[in-house]
Coordinates of all heavy atoms in Angstrom, one line a residue:
M1 N 0.9 -1.2 -0.1 CA 0.0 0.0 0.0 C 0.8 1.2 0.0 O 0.5 2.2 -0.6 CB -0.9 0.0 1.2 CG -2.0 1.1 1.2 SD -3.2 0.6 0.0 CE -4.3 1.9 0.2
K2 N 2.0 1.2 0.7 CA 2.9 2.3 0.8 C 3.4 2.6 -0.5 O 3.6 3.8 -1.0 CB 4.0 2.1 1.8 CG 3.6 2.1 3.2 CD 4.8 1.9 4.2 CE 4.1 1.9 5.6 NZ 5.3 1.6 6.5
I3 N 3.8 1.6 -1.3 CA 4.4 1.8 -2.6 C 3.3 2.4 -3.6 O 3.6 3.3 -4.3 CB 4.9 0.4 -3.3 CG1 5.9 -0.2 -2.4 CG2 5.3 0.5 -4.7 CD1 6.4 -1.6 -2.8
L4 N 2.0 2.0 -3.5 CA 1.0 2.6 -4.4 C 0.8 4.1 -4.0 O 0.7 4.9 -4.9 CB -0.4 1.8 -4.1 CG -1.6 2.4 -4.7 CD1 -1.5 2.2 -6.3 CD2 -2.8 1.7 -4.3
L5 N 0.8 4.4 -2.7 CA 0.7 5.8 -2.3 C 1.9 6.6 -2.8 O 1.6 7.9 -3.2 CB 0.5 5.9 -0.8 CG -0.9 5.4 -0.3 CD1 -0.9 5.5 1.3 CD2 -2.0 6.1 -0.9
T6 N 3.0 6.1 -2.8 CA 4.2 6.8 -3.3 C 4.1 7.3 -4.7 O 4.6 8.3 -5.2 CB 5.5 6.2 -2.9 OG1 5.5 4.9 -3.5 CG2 5.8 6.1 -1.4
Y7 N 3.6 6.3 -5.5 CA 3.4 6.5 -6.9 C 2.2 7.4 -7.2 O 2.2 8.2 -8.2 CB 3.0 5.2 -7.7 CG 4.4 4.4 -7.9 CD1 4.7 3.2 -7.3 CD2 5.4 5.0 -8.9 CE1 5.8 2.5 -7.5 CE2 6.5 4.2 -9.1 CZ 6.7 3.0 -8.4 OH 7.9 2.3 -8.7
L8 N 1.2 7.4 -6.3 CA 0.0 8.2 -6.6 C 0.1 9.7 -5.9 O -0.6 10.6 -6.5 CB -1.3 7.5 -6.0 CG -1.9 6.5 -6.8 CD1 -3.1 5.9 -6.0 CD2 -2.4 7.0 -8.2
K9 N 1.1 9.8 -5.1 CA 1.2 11.2 -4.4 C 1.4 12.2 -5.4 O 0.8 13.4 -5.2 CB 2.3 11.1 -3.4 CG 2.4 12.3 -2.5 CD 3.5 12.1 -1.4 CE 2.9 11.4 -0.3 NZ 3.7 11.3 0.9
P10 N 2.2 12.2 -6.5 CA 2.4 13.3 -7.4 C 1.0 13.6 -8.2 O 0.9 14.7 -8.7 CB 3.4 12.8 -8.4 CG 4.1 11.6 -7.8 CD 3.1 11.0 -6.8
H11 N 0.1 12.7 -8.2 CA -1.1 12.9 -8.8 C -2.3 13.1 -8.0 O -3.5 12.9 -8.4 CB -1.5 11.8 -9.9 CG -0.2 11.3 -10.5 ND1 0.4 12.0 -11.5 CD2 0.4 10.1 -10.5 CE1 1.4 11.3 -12.0 NE2 1.5 10.2 -11.4
R12 N -2.0 13.7 -6.8 CA -3.1 13.8 -5.7 C -4.2 14.7 -6.1 O -5.3 14.4 -5.9 CB -2.4 14.5 -4.4 CG -3.3 14.7 -3.3 CD -2.7 15.2 -2.1 NE -1.3 14.7 -1.8 CZ -0.3 15.4 -1.7 NH1 -0.3 16.7 -1.6 NH2 0.9 14.8 -1.3
N13 N -3.8 15.8 -6.9 CA -4.8 16.8 -7.4 C -5.8 16.1 -8.4 O -7.0 16.3 -8.3 CB -4.3 18.0 -7.9 CG -3.5 18.8 -6.9 OD1 -3.9 18.7 -5.7 ND2 -2.6 19.7 -7.3
L14 N -5.2 15.3 -9.3 CA -6.1 14.7 -10.3 C -6.9 13.6 -9.6 O -8.1 13.5 -10.0 CB -5.2 14.0 -11.3 CG -4.6 14.9 -12.3 CD1 -3.6 14.2 -13.2 CD2 -5.6 15.8 -13.0
V15 N -6.5 12.9 -8.6 CA -7.3 11.9 -7.8 C -8.5 12.6 -7.2 O -9.6 12.2 -7.2 CB -6.4 11.1 -6.9 CG1 -7.3 10.3 -6.0 CG2 -5.4 10.3 -7.6
I16 N -8.2 13.7 -6.5 CA -9.2 14.5 -5.8 C -10.3 15.0 -6.9 O -11.5 14.8 -6.6 CB -8.6 15.6 -5.0 CG1 -7.8 15.1 -3.8 CG2 -9.7 16.6 -4.6 CD1 -7.0 16.1 -3.2
I17 N -9.9 15.5 -7.9 CA -10.8 16.0 -8.9 C -11.7 14.8 -9.4 O -12.8 14.9 -9.6 CB -10.1 16.5 -10.1 CG1 -9.4 18.0 -9.8 CG2 -10.9 16.8 -11.4 CD1 -8.6 18.7 -10.7
T18 N -11.0 13.6 -9.7 CA -11.8 12.5 -10.0 C -12.8 12.0 -9.1 O -13.9 11.7 -9.4 CB -10.8 11.4 -10.4 OG1 -9.7 11.8 -11.3 CG2 -11.5 10.1 -11.0
L19 N -12.4 12.1 -7.9 CA -13.4 11.6 -6.8 C -14.5 12.6 -6.7 O -15.8 12.2 -6.5 CB -12.6 11.5 -5.5 CG -11.7 10.3 -5.4 CD1 -10.9 10.3 -4.1 CD2 -12.5 9.1 -5.5
L20 N -14.2 14.0 -6.9 CA -15.3 14.9 -6.7 C -16.3 14.8 -7.9 O -17.5 15.0 -7.9 CB -14.7 16.3 -6.8 CG -14.0 16.8 -5.5 CD1 -13.4 18.2 -5.7 CD2 -15.0 16.8 -4.3
L21 N -15.7 14.5 -9.2 CA -16.6 14.3 -10.3 C -17.4 13.0 -10.2 O -18.5 12.9 -10.6 CB -15.6 14.2 -11.6 CG -15.2 15.5 -12.1 CD1 -13.9 15.3 -13.1 CD2 -16.1 16.4 -12.6
A22 N -16.8 11.9 -9.5 CA -17.5 10.7 -9.4 C -18.8 11.1 -8.4 O -19.8 10.6 -8.5 CB -16.7 9.7 -8.8
A23 N -18.5 11.8 -7.4 CA -19.5 12.3 -6.3 C -20.6 13.1 -7.1 O -21.8 12.9 -6.8 CB -18.9 13.0 -5.2
T24 N -20.2 14.0 -7.9 CA -21.2 14.7 -8.7 C -22.0 13.9 -9.6 O -23.3 14.0 -9.6 CB -20.4 15.8 -9.5 OG1 -19.6 16.6 -8.6 CG2 -21.4 16.7 -10.3
N25 N -21.4 13.0 -10.3 CA -22.2 12.1 -11.1 C -23.1 11.3 -10.4 O -24.3 11.2 -10.8 CB -21.1 11.2 -11.9 CG -21.8 10.1 -12.7 OD1 -22.9 10.3 -13.2 ND2 -21.2 9.0 -12.8
T26 N -22.7 10.7 -9.3 CA -23.6 9.9 -8.4 C -24.7 10.7 -7.9 O -25.9 10.3 -8.0 CB -22.8 9.3 -7.3 OG1 -21.8 8.4 -7.9 CG2 -23.8 8.3 -6.5
G27 N -24.4 11.9 -7.4 CA -25.5 12.7 -6.8 C -26.5 13.0 -7.8 O -27.8 12.9 -7.6
F28 N -26.1 13.6 -9.1 CA -27.1 14.0 -10.0 C -27.8 12.7 -10.6 O -29.0 12.9 -11.1 CB -26.5 14.8 -11.1 CG -26.2 16.2 -10.8 CD1 -25.1 16.7 -10.2 CD2 -27.3 17.1 -11.0 CE1 -24.9 17.9 -9.9 CE2 -27.2 18.4 -10.7 CZ -26.1 18.8 -10.0
S29 N -27.2 11.6 -10.7 CA -27.9 10.3 -11.1 C -28.9 9.9 -10.2 O -30.0 9.4 -10.5 CB -27.0 9.1 -11.2 OG -25.9 9.4 -12.3
L30 N -28.8 10.3 -8.9 CA -29.8 9.8 -7.9 C -31.0 11.0 -7.9 O -32.1 10.7 -7.3 CB -29.2 9.9 -6.5 CG -28.3 8.6 -6.3 CD1 -27.6 8.8 -4.9 CD2 -29.0 7.5 -6.3
L31 N -30.8 12.2 -8.5 CA -31.8 13.0 -8.6 C -32.8 12.7 -9.6 O -34.0 13.1 -9.5 CB -31.2 14.4 -8.8 CG -30.6 15.2 -7.7 CD1 -29.9 16.5 -8.1 CD2 -31.6 15.4 -6.6
D32 N -32.4 12.1 -10.6 CA -33.4 11.7 -11.8 C -34.6 11.0 -11.4 O -35.7 11.3 -11.8 CB -32.6 11.1 -12.9 CG -33.2 11.3 -14.2 OD1 -34.0 12.2 -14.5 OD2 -33.0 10.4 -15.1
P33 N -34.4 9.9 -10.6 CA -35.6 9.2 -10.2 C -36.6 10.1 -9.3 O -37.7 9.8 -9.3 CB -35.2 8.0 -9.4 CG -33.7 7.9 -9.8 CD -33.2 9.2 -10.2
I34 N -36.1 10.9 -8.5 CA -36.9 11.8 -7.7 C -37.8 12.7 -8.7 O -39.0 12.9 -8.4 CB -36.0 12.7 -6.8 CG1 -35.3 11.8 -5.8 CG2 -36.8 13.8 -6.1 CD1 -34.3 12.5 -5.0
I35 N -37.1 13.3 -9.7 CA -37.9 14.1 -10.6 C -38.9 13.3 -11.3 O -40.0 13.7 -11.4 CB -36.9 14.8 -11.6 CG1 -36.1 15.8 -10.9 CG2 -37.7 15.5 -12.8 CD1 -34.9 16.4 -11.7
T36 N -38.5 12.0 -11.7 CA -39.5 11.2 -12.4 C -40.6 10.8 -11.5 O -41.9 10.7 -11.9 CB -38.8 9.9 -12.8 OG1 -37.8 10.2 -13.7 CG2 -39.9 9.0 -13.6
G37 N -40.4 10.6 -10.1 CA -41.6 10.4 -9.2 C -42.3 11.5 -9.1 O -43.6 11.4 -8.9
Q38 N -41.8 12.7 -9.1 CA -42.7 13.9 -9.0 C -43.6 14.0 -10.3 O -44.8 14.5 -10.1 CB -41.8 15.2 -9.0 CG -41.1 15.3 -7.6 CD -42.1 15.5 -6.5 OE1 -43.0 16.1 -6.6 NE2 -41.7 15.0 -5.3
L39 N -43.1 13.7 -11.4 CA -43.9 13.7 -12.7 C -45.0 12.6 -12.6 O -46.2 12.9 -13.0 CB -43.0 13.3 -13.9 CG -42.2 14.4 -14.5 CD1 -41.3 14.0 -15.5 CD2 -43.2 15.5 -15.1
V40 N -44.7 11.4 -12.0 CA -45.8 10.4 -11.9 C -46.9 10.9 -10.8 O -48.0 10.7 -11.1 CB -45.1 9.1 -11.5 CG1 -46.2 8.0 -11.1 CG2 -44.2 8.6 -12.6
K41 N -46.3 11.4 -9.7 CA -47.3 11.9 -8.7 C -48.1 13.1 -9.4 O -49.4 13.1 -9.0 CB -46.5 12.5 -7.6 CG -47.4 12.8 -6.4 CD -46.8 13.5 -5.2 CE -45.3 13.1 -4.9 NZ -44.8 13.7 -3.7
L42 N -47.6 13.9 -10.1 CA -48.4 15.0 -10.7 C -49.4 14.4 -11.7 O -50.6 14.9 -11.7 CB -47.5 16.0 -11.3 CG -48.1 17.1 -12.1 CD1 -48.7 18.1 -10.9 CD2 -47.1 17.9 -13.0
A43 N -49.0 13.4 -12.5 CA -50.0 12.9 -13.5 C -51.0 12.2 -12.7 O -52.3 12.2 -13.1 CB -49.3 12.0 -14.4
F44 N -50.7 11.5 -11.6 CA -51.8 10.7 -10.8 C -52.7 11.6 -10.1 O -53.9 11.5 -10.2 CB -51.1 9.8 -9.7 CG -52.1 9.0 -9.0 CD1 -52.7 7.9 -9.6 CD2 -52.4 9.4 -7.7 CE1 -53.6 7.3 -8.8 CE2 -53.2 8.7 -6.8 CZ -53.8 7.6 -7.5
N45 N -52.2 12.8 -9.7 CA -53.1 13.7 -9.0 C -54.0 14.3 -10.0 O -55.2 14.7 -9.7 CB -52.3 14.8 -8.2 CG -51.7 14.2 -7.0 OD1 -52.1 13.2 -6.5 ND2 -50.7 14.9 -6.5
Q46 N -53.6 14.6 -11.3 CA -54.4 15.2 -12.3 C -55.5 14.2 -12.8 O -56.4 14.6 -13.3 CB -53.5 15.7 -13.5 CG -52.7 16.9 -13.2 CD -53.5 18.1 -13.0 OE1 -54.6 18.3 -13.6 NE2 -53.0 19.0 -12.0
E47 N -55.2 12.9 -12.6 CA -56.1 11.9 -13.1 C -57.3 11.9 -12.2 O -58.4 11.6 -12.6 CB -55.5 10.5 -13.0 CG -56.4 9.4 -13.6 CD -55.6 8.1 -13.5 OE1 -54.7 7.9 -14.5 OE2 -55.8 7.3 -12.7
T48 N -57.2 12.2 -10.9 CA -58.4 12.2 -9.9 C -59.2 13.4 -10.0 O -60.3 13.4 -9.4 CB -57.8 12.0 -8.5 OG1 -56.9 13.0 -8.2 CG2 -57.1 10.6 -8.4
K49 N -58.7 14.5 -10.6 CA -59.5 15.8 -10.7 C -59.6 16.2 -12.0 O -58.7 15.8 -12.9 CB -59.1 16.7 -9.6 CG -57.6 17.1 -9.8 CD -57.2 18.1 -8.7 CE -55.7 18.3 -8.8 NZ -55.2 19.2 -7.7
P50 N -60.3 17.1 -12.4 CA -60.4 17.7 -13.7 C -59.0 18.3 -14.2 O -58.4 19.0 -13.3 CB -61.4 18.8 -13.7 CG -62.3 18.6 -12.5 CD -61.5 17.8 -11.5
L51 N -58.7 18.1 -15.3 CA -57.3 18.6 -15.8 C -57.3 20.2 -16.0 O -58.2 20.7 -16.8 CB -57.0 17.9 -17.2 CG -55.7 18.2 -17.7 CD1 -54.6 17.6 -16.8 CD2 -55.5 17.4 -19.1
D52 N -56.4 20.7 -15.4 CA -56.2 22.2 -15.5 C -54.9 22.5 -16.3 O -53.8 22.4 -15.8 CB -56.2 22.8 -14.2 CG -56.0 24.3 -14.2 OD1 -56.3 25.0 -15.3 OD2 -55.6 24.9 -13.2
W53 N -55.1 22.6 -17.6 CA -53.8 22.8 -18.4 C -53.0 23.9 -18.1 O -51.8 23.9 -18.3 CB -54.2 22.8 -20.0 CG -54.6 21.5 -20.5 CD1 -55.9 21.0 -20.7 CD2 -53.7 20.4 -20.9 NE1 -55.9 19.7 -21.2 CE2 -54.5 19.4 -21.3 CE3 -52.4 20.3 -20.8 CZ2 -54.0 18.2 -21.7 CZ3 -51.8 19.1 -21.3 CH2 -52.7 18.0 -21.7
A54 N -53.6 25.0 -17.6 CA -52.8 26.2 -17.3 C -51.8 26.0 -16.2 O -50.8 26.5 -16.1 CB -53.7 27.4 -16.9
A55 N -52.2 25.1 -15.3 CA -51.3 24.8 -14.2 C -50.4 23.5 -14.4 O -49.4 23.5 -13.9 CB -52.0 24.6 -12.9
F56 N -50.9 22.6 -15.2 CA -50.3 21.2 -15.5 C -49.2 21.3 -16.4 O -48.1 21.0 -16.1 CB -51.4 20.3 -16.0 CG -50.9 18.9 -16.2 CD1 -50.5 18.1 -15.2 CD2 -50.7 18.4 -17.5 CE1 -50.1 16.9 -15.4 CE2 -50.3 17.2 -17.7 CZ -50.1 16.3 -16.6
L57 N -49.3 22.1 -17.5 CA -48.3 22.1 -18.6 C -47.1 22.8 -18.1 O -45.9 22.2 -18.4 CB -48.9 22.7 -19.8 CG -48.2 22.6 -21.1 CD1 -47.9 21.0 -21.4 CD2 -48.8 23.2 -22.2
P58 N -47.1 23.9 -17.5 CA -45.7 24.6 -17.1 C -45.1 23.7 -16.1 O -43.8 23.7 -16.1 CB -46.2 25.9 -16.5 CG -47.6 26.2 -17.1 CD -48.2 24.9 -17.3
T59 N -45.8 23.1 -15.2 CA -45.1 22.2 -14.2 C -44.5 21.0 -14.8 O -43.3 20.7 -14.6 CB -46.2 21.7 -13.1 OG1 -46.9 22.9 -12.6 CG2 -45.6 21.0 -12.0
V60 N -45.2 20.4 -15.8 CA -44.6 19.2 -16.4 C -43.4 19.7 -17.2 O -42.3 19.0 -17.2 CB -45.7 18.6 -17.3 CG1 -45.1 17.6 -18.2 CG2 -46.7 17.9 -16.5
L61 N -43.5 20.8 -17.9 CA -42.3 21.2 -18.8 C -41.2 21.6 -17.9 O -40.0 21.3 -18.2 CB -42.8 22.4 -19.5 CG -43.8 22.0 -20.7 CD1 -44.1 23.3 -21.6 CD2 -43.1 21.0 -21.7
T62 N -41.4 22.2 -16.8 CA -40.3 22.4 -15.8 C -39.6 21.2 -15.2 O -38.4 21.1 -15.2 CB -40.8 23.3 -14.6 OG1 -41.5 24.5 -15.1 CG2 -39.8 23.7 -13.6
L63 N -40.4 20.2 -14.9 CA -39.9 19.0 -14.4 C -39.1 18.2 -15.5 O -38.1 17.7 -15.2 CB -41.0 18.0 -13.9 CG -41.6 18.5 -12.4 CD1 -42.7 17.7 -12.1 CD2 -40.4 18.5 -11.3
L64 N -39.6 18.3 -16.8 CA -38.9 17.6 -17.8 C -37.6 18.3 -18.1 O -36.6 17.7 -18.4 CB -39.7 17.5 -19.0 CG -40.9 16.6 -19.1 CD1 -41.8 16.7 -20.3 CD2 -40.4 15.1 -18.9
G65 N -37.6 19.6 -18.1 CA -36.5 20.4 -18.3 C -35.4 20.1 -17.2 O -34.1 20.0 -17.4
A66 N -35.9 20.0 -16.0 CA -35.0 19.7 -14.9 C -34.4 18.3 -15.0 O -33.2 18.0 -14.8 CB -35.7 19.8 -13.5
S67 N -35.3 17.3 -15.5 CA -34.7 16.0 -15.7 C -33.6 15.9 -16.8 O -32.6 15.3 -16.6 CB -35.9 15.1 -16.1 OG -35.5 13.8 -16.3
V68 N -33.8 16.7 -17.9 CA -32.9 16.8 -18.9 C -31.5 17.4 -18.3 O -30.4 17.0 -18.8 CB -33.4 17.6 -20.2 CG1 -32.2 17.9 -21.2 CG2 -34.5 16.7 -20.9
G69 N -31.7 18.5 -17.6 CA -30.5 19.2 -17.1 C -29.8 18.3 -16.2 O -28.5 18.3 -16.2
V70 N -30.4 17.6 -15.3 CA -29.8 16.6 -14.4 C -29.0 15.5 -15.1 O -27.9 15.2 -14.8 CB -30.9 16.0 -13.3 CG1 -30.3 14.9 -12.6 CG2 -31.3 17.1 -12.3
A71 N -29.6 15.0 -16.1 CA -29.0 14.0 -16.9 C -27.8 14.5 -17.6 O -26.7 13.9 -17.7 CB -30.0 13.3 -17.9
M72 N -27.9 15.7 -18.1 CA -26.7 16.3 -18.9 C -25.6 16.5 -17.9 O -24.4 16.2 -18.1 CB -27.1 17.6 -19.6 CG -27.9 17.4 -20.8 SD -28.1 18.9 -21.7 CE -26.6 19.6 -22.0
V73 N -25.9 17.1 -16.7 CA -24.8 17.3 -15.8 C -24.1 16.0 -15.3 O -22.9 15.9 -15.3 CB -25.3 18.1 -14.5 CG1 -24.2 18.1 -13.4 CG2 -25.7 19.5 -14.9
S74 N -24.9 15.0 -15.1 CA -24.5 13.7 -14.7 C -23.5 13.1 -15.8 O -22.5 12.7 -15.5 CB -25.5 12.8 -14.4 OG -25.1 11.4 -14.1
R75 N -23.9 13.2 -17.0 CA -23.1 12.6 -18.1 C -21.9 13.4 -18.4 O -20.8 12.8 -18.6 CB -23.9 12.6 -19.5 CG -25.2 11.7 -19.4 CD -24.9 10.3 -19.5 NE -26.0 9.5 -19.1 CZ -27.1 9.1 -19.7 NH1 -27.3 9.6 -21.0 NH2 -28.0 8.4 -19.3
I76 N -21.9 14.8 -18.3 CA -20.7 15.5 -18.4 C -19.7 15.2 -17.4 O -18.6 15.1 -17.6 CB -21.1 17.0 -18.4 CG1 -21.7 17.3 -19.7 CG2 -19.8 17.9 -18.4 CD1 -22.5 18.8 -19.8
A77 N -20.2 15.1 -16.1 CA -19.3 14.8 -15.0 C -18.6 13.4 -15.2 O -17.5 13.2 -14.9 CB -20.1 14.9 -13.7
K78 N -19.5 12.5 -15.7 CA -19.0 11.1 -15.9 C -17.9 11.1 -17.0 O -16.9 10.4 -16.8 CB -20.2 10.2 -16.4 CG -19.8 8.8 -16.7 CD -19.2 8.0 -15.4 CE -19.0 6.6 -15.8 NZ -18.1 6.0 -14.8
N79 N -18.1 11.9 -18.0 CA -17.2 12.0 -19.1 C -15.8 12.6 -18.6 O -14.7 12.1 -18.9 CB -17.6 12.7 -20.3 CG -18.6 11.9 -21.1 OD1 -18.6 10.6 -21.0 ND2 -19.6 12.6 -21.7
F80 N -15.9 13.7 -17.9 CA -14.6 14.3 -17.3 C -14.0 13.3 -16.3 O -12.8 13.2 -16.3 CB -15.0 15.6 -16.7 CG -15.0 16.7 -17.6 CD1 -16.2 17.4 -17.9 CD2 -13.9 17.2 -18.3 CE1 -16.2 18.5 -18.8 CE2 -13.8 18.1 -19.2 CZ -15.1 18.8 -19.4
Q81 N -14.8 12.6 -15.5 CA -14.3 11.6 -14.5 C -13.5 10.5 -15.3 O -12.4 10.2 -14.9 CB -15.3 11.0 -13.7 CG -14.9 9.9 -12.9 CD -16.1 9.1 -12.4 OE1 -17.2 9.4 -12.6 NE2 -15.7 8.0 -11.8
D82 N -14.1 10.1 -16.3 CA -13.4 9.0 -17.3 C -12.1 9.6 -17.7 O -10.9 8.9 -17.7 CB -14.3 8.5 -18.3 CG -15.4 7.6 -17.8 OD1 -15.3 7.2 -16.6 OD2 -16.4 7.4 -18.6
Y83 N -12.0 10.8 -18.3 CA -10.8 11.5 -18.8 C -9.7 11.5 -17.8 O -8.6 11.1 -18.0 CB -11.2 12.8 -19.5 CG -9.9 13.6 -19.8 CD1 -9.2 13.2 -20.9 CD2 -9.5 14.6 -19.0 CE1 -8.1 13.9 -21.3 CE2 -8.4 15.3 -19.4 CZ -7.7 15.0 -20.5 OH -6.6 15.7 -20.8
Y84 N -10.1 12.1 -16.6 CA -9.1 12.3 -15.6 C -8.6 10.9 -15.0 O -7.4 10.8 -14.7 CB -9.6 13.2 -14.5 CG -9.6 14.7 -14.7 CD1 -10.8 15.4 -14.8 CD2 -8.5 15.4 -15.2 CE1 -10.9 16.6 -15.2 CE2 -8.5 16.7 -15.6 CZ -9.7 17.3 -15.5 OH -9.7 18.7 -15.9
L85 N -9.5 10.0 -15.0 CA -9.0 8.7 -14.5 C -8.1 8.0 -15.6 O -7.1 7.4 -15.1 CB -10.3 7.8 -14.3 CG -9.9 6.2 -13.7 CD1 -9.3 6.4 -12.3 CD2 -11.2 5.5 -13.7
N86 N -8.4 8.2 -16.9 CA -7.4 7.7 -17.8 C -6.0 8.4 -17.7 O -5.0 7.8 -18.0 CB -8.0 7.9 -19.3 CG -9.1 6.8 -19.5 OD1 -9.1 5.7 -18.9 ND2 -10.0 7.2 -20.3
V87 N -6.0 9.7 -17.5 CA -4.8 10.5 -17.3 C -4.1 9.8 -16.1 O -2.8 9.6 -16.3 CB -5.0 11.9 -17.2 CG1 -3.8 12.7 -16.7 CG2 -5.7 12.5 -18.5
I88 N -4.7 9.7 -15.0 CA -4.0 9.1 -13.8 C -3.4 7.8 -14.2 O -2.3 7.5 -13.8 CB -4.9 9.1 -12.7 CG1 -5.4 10.5 -12.2 CG2 -4.4 8.4 -11.5 CD1 -6.5 10.5 -11.2
V89 N -4.3 6.9 -14.8 CA -3.7 5.6 -15.1 C -2.5 5.6 -16.0 O -1.6 4.9 -15.8 CB -4.9 4.7 -15.6 CG1 -4.4 3.4 -16.2 CG2 -5.9 4.5 -14.5
Q90 N -2.6 6.4 -17.0 CA -1.5 6.5 -18.0 C -0.2 7.0 -17.3 O 1.0 6.5 -17.5 CB -1.9 7.5 -19.1 CG -2.8 6.8 -20.1 CD -3.2 7.8 -21.1 OE1 -2.8 8.9 -21.2 NE2 -4.0 7.2 -22.1
K91 N -0.4 8.1 -16.4 CA 0.9 8.6 -15.9 C 1.4 7.7 -14.7 O 2.6 7.5 -14.6 CB 0.5 10.0 -15.1 CG 0.3 11.1 -16.1 CD 0.0 12.3 -15.4 CE -0.1 13.5 -16.4 NZ -0.2 14.8 -15.8
F92 N 0.5 7.0 -14.0 CA 0.9 6.0 -13.0 C 1.6 4.8 -13.7 O 2.7 4.4 -13.2 CB -0.4 5.5 -12.4 CG -0.1 4.5 -11.3 CD1 0.3 4.8 -10.1 CD2 -0.4 3.2 -11.6 CE1 0.6 3.7 -9.2 CE2 -0.2 2.0 -10.6 CZ 0.3 2.5 -9.5
G93 N 1.0 4.3 -14.8 CA 1.6 3.2 -15.5 C 3.0 3.5 -16.1 O 3.9 2.7 -16.1
A94 N 3.1 4.7 -16.5 CA 4.3 5.2 -17.2 C 5.5 5.2 -16.1 O 6.5 4.8 -16.4 CB 4.2 6.5 -17.9
Q95 N 5.1 5.8 -15.0 CA 6.0 5.9 -13.9 C 6.4 4.5 -13.4 O 7.6 4.3 -13.1 CB 5.4 6.8 -12.8 CG 6.4 7.2 -11.7 CD 5.8 8.1 -10.7 OE1 4.5 8.4 -10.7 NE2 6.6 8.6 -9.7
V96 N 5.5 3.6 -13.2 CA 5.9 2.2 -12.7 C 6.7 1.5 -13.7 O 7.6 0.8 -13.4 CB 4.5 1.5 -12.4 CG1 4.8 0.1 -12.2 CG2 3.9 2.0 -11.2
F97 N 6.4 1.7 -15.0 CA 7.1 1.1 -16.1 C 8.5 1.6 -16.1 O 9.5 0.8 -16.3 CB 6.5 1.2 -17.4 CG 7.2 0.7 -18.5 CD1 7.0 -0.7 -18.6 CD2 7.9 1.3 -19.5 CE1 7.6 -1.4 -19.8 CE2 8.5 0.7 -20.5 CZ 8.4 -0.7 -20.7
S98 N 8.7 2.8 -16.0 CA 10.0 3.5 -16.1 C 10.9 3.1 -14.9 O 12.1 2.9 -15.0 CB 9.9 4.9 -16.3 OG 9.5 5.6 -15.1
D99 N 10.3 3.0 -13.7 CA 11.0 2.6 -12.5 C 11.3 1.1 -12.5 O 12.3 0.6 -12.0 CB 10.2 2.9 -11.2 CG 10.1 4.4 -10.9 OD1 10.8 5.1 -11.6 OD2 9.3 4.8 -10.0
G100 N 10.6 0.3 -13.3 CA 10.8 -1.2 -13.3 C 11.8 -1.5 -14.3 O 12.7 -2.3 -14.1

């Protein structure tokens, strides 16, 4: 473990960025089912009473926009996380190879 940490120490900032991006990705991925649940709850509540398009449509469009935004942030964070992880792996591997 000490050997691994000595090789990863120069890349500490990249590891922290990667972990923060992973947390962002996970957090926003968990928000999407909440928004979908709100959409389902809204549709169910509208089913039991007369449909009021003036109140229903803006709410649905706002929730759909939020769902798209959450998904985009999650995917962008995932792509940057993958990129930084690949950079760490390449630098780590090159350093281990050159020392070997």
Side-chain angles (χ1 to χ4, degrees):
M1 189 70 174
K2 290 180 184 178
I3 296 172
L4 176 67
L5 290 177
T6 57
Y7 281 111
L8 282 179
K9 191 174 276 190
H11 314 295
R12 182 182 317 132
N13 292 337
L14 288 176
V15 171
I16 291 170
I17 290 171
T18 303
L19 291 174
L20 288 175
L21 287 169
T24 303
N25 175 30
T26 303
F28 277 93
S29 292
L30 291 173
L31 285 177
D32 201 29
I34 295 171
I35 294 171
T36 304
Q38 291 294 323
L39 278 169
V40 169
K41 188 188 323 181
L42 182 68
F44 181 74
N45 288 340
Q46 288 294 327
E47 185 178 281
T48 58
K49 57 186 174 183
L51 187 61
D52 180 21
W53 284 102
F56 181 69
L57 195 59
T59 307
V60 168
L61 292 177
T62 302
L63 286 173
L64 287 175
S67 180
V68 169
V70 163
M72 282 185 58
V73 170
S74 175
R75 300 281 163 82
I76 290 170
K78 177 67 174 164
N79 287 333
F80 277 112
Q81 174 195 348
D82 289 342
Y83 170 74
Y84 284 119
L85 185 62
N86 285 336
V87 168
I88 292 169
V89 168
Q90 287 175 357
K91 288 182 177 183
F92 176 82
Q95 190 176 3
V96 169
F97 182 76
S98 66
D99 286 351

